[in-house]
Amino acid sequence: TYTGNYQTKTQDLVEAKRLLALAKTELPANTPLELTIAVQENATYRKVFENIKAQIETNLPEVTVVLESIPNQLYFSQVMKKETAAGVGSWSAAFTDYFNFMELFKAGATFNYGAYDKPEYEALIEKASIEGDIEKQAEIYKQAEVFLVEDAVYIPLYQVGVTYELKDYVEGFVYNQVAPSIDYKFIEIV
């Protein structure tokens, strides 16, 4: 929802190198620079993180990225217990409302993996949840989202997209933006 400066933000290699040099000044000499990322045993996540690993190691050759494969059934419990240095999560909306995503970052929320806790953020979410004007509500959510971006609560990696091709004789196909995504009960062959 946020339409500010972050929408066009691109990779800043000069800044990354500057921050890496700064970090090295705070570490003992010859400390190996290694980042371990926990990855689910999932082909999509594996490809995404192999790409990230390649980008980091190519652009910052002093840094080694280790991808730690964790079985799906154990992955989220380990991430939630902070047993991994870094991890990934995804979310699909259950209904089409900003709140479905914004509530994830409320203190104590089940899927608040980073344990984000910011009263100013929560005050905006509460205000938005009772706002009756949908445009005003969207503006309040945008204000709240600034906290998430500025505090680096999450780093958007990609957005899933799906394409369907239907024959001309198929009618009544319903694609929902939320689960279940496809509803076959209205399909007719004409």
Side-chain angles (χ1 to χ4, degrees), residues 18-176:
R18 184 189 75 75
L19 291 172
L20 179 60
L22 179 63
K24 288 171 60 177
T25 66
E26 297 178 10
L27 296 170
N30 300 320
T31 300
L33 301 172
E34 184 176 287
L35 171 63
T36 300
I37 302 174
V39 181
Q40 276 179 275
E41 289 178 345
N42 171 306
T44 300
Y45 288 152
R46 173 60 66 185
K47 287 178 185 177
V48 167
F49 281 97
E50 284 173 354
N51 180 284
I52 290 170
K53 172 183 170 61
Q55 288 183 53
I56 291 171
E57 291 179 350
T58 298
N59 292 305
L60 303 170
E62 300 167 78
V63 179
T64 302
V65 177
V66 176
L67 301 179
E68 178 186 6
S69 185
I70 298 177
N72 292 333
Q73 64 271 25
L74 302 175
Y75 181 79
F76 287 107
S77 65
Q78 288 185 13
V79 170
M80 291 294 285
K81 293 176 190 170
K82 315 283 186 289
E83 294 174 351
T84 62
V88 65
S90 61
W91 185 255
S92 295
F95 49 91
T96 54
D97 190 299
Y98 296 119
F99 183 77
N100 198 244
F101 290 93
M102 305 302 271
E103 71 175 334
L104 296 173
F105 303 103
K106 290 172 65 176
T110 302
F111 297 104
N112 183 356
Y113 299 128
Y116 187 62
D117 185 357
K118 187 162 209 138
E120 301 91 338
Y121 172 82
E122 294 201 24
L124 287 168
I125 297 305
E126 181 62 31
K127 182 179 177 184
S129 72
I130 59 173
E131 175 58 58
D133 182 310
I134 194 163
E135 289 182 18
K136 288 179 182 176
Q137 182 188 57
E139 288 304 316
I140 297 168
Y141 279 129
K142 285 180 185 180
Q143 292 171 29
E145 191 172 38
V146 171
F147 287 117
L148 300 179
V149 175
E150 301 245 340
D151 292 345
V153 174
Y154 67 97
I155 301 169
L157 295 175
Y158 65 93
Q159 182 173 333
V160 175
V162 179
T163 304
Y164 295 95
E165 183 177 342
L166 299 174
K167 299 290 185 181
D168 292 340
Y169 54 81
V170 177
E171 291 183 359
F173 178 81
V174 176
Y175 178 78
N176 300 306

